[in-house]
Amino acid sequence: MKVKIGKKEYNVEVAETEAQKLQGLQGRDSLGSDEGMLFIYEKPQDVAFWMTDTKIPLDIIFIDEDQEVISVAKGEPMSEDLMEETDVQYVLELNQDSGVKEGDEVYFEEDDD
């Protein structure tokens, strides 16, 4: 799936199942500059993310049902600190310092394959 935010476009993996959501980007050594992972929830809800077993510094981007960025948390590698947000429909993980900020509009595009 492609995600567009401002002038940037990312190719993201989608974490759909509970197992995929629990795994996230844990155990990976790197993430391409235009890559990320998108977590999709059926309805807006309170979510919590942590960086246990995640080696890559990440921006954890919380997005509401209107596809607007609620907040961006800095995920530090191997941290067990929880990053929490309310009324979240999507979470996007990108490399840290992505430039995404609160209030940005997010656009999702299905791949053509």
Side-chain angles (χ1 to χ4, degrees):
M1 174 178 275
K2 291 188 187 328
V3 174
K4 292 183 180 181
I5 305 172
K7 295 180 180 178
K8 294 183 181 178
E9 183 175 283
Y10 302 92
N11 294 306
V12 300
E13 295 176 53
V14 179
E16 297 179 88
T17 68
E18 280 307 308
Q20 290 170 327
K21 288 176 182 174
L22 286 171
Q23 178 67 35
L25 293 170
Q26 291 180 11
R28 301 207 191 169
D29 293 318
S30 64
L31 185 64
S33 62
D34 66 342
E35 295 178 342
M37 181 168 278
L38 180 66
F39 300 76
I40 301 174
Y41 298 93
E42 285 186 33
K43 60 184 181 184
Q45 57 192 272
D46 298 350
V47 299
F49 276 64
W50 68 350
M51 297 285 292
T52 299
D53 298 325
T54 305
K55 304 173 186 178
I56 309 162
L58 298 172
D59 279 347
I60 311 296
I61 302 161
F62 299 101
I63 304 165
D64 68 15
E65 63 186 325
D66 297 322
Q67 296 176 216
E68 184 176 310
V69 175
I70 301 169
S71 65
V72 180
K74 298 289 184 195
E76 297 303 329
M78 310 307 275
S79 173
E80 293 185 6
D81 295 339
L82 287 179
M83 295 164 279
E84 301 174 275
E85 189 59 78
T86 59
D87 296 324
V88 174
Q89 181 96 45
Y90 311 94
V91 176
L92 179 62
E93 294 182 337
L94 300 174
N95 283 305
Q96 206 168 82
D97 300 322
S98 64
V100 175
K101 61 189 180 315
E102 182 179 333
D104 282 352
E105 293 290 328
V106 181
Y107 301 93
F108 304 113
E109 259 182 37
E110 294 291 332
D111 290 331
D112 294 331
D113 47 23

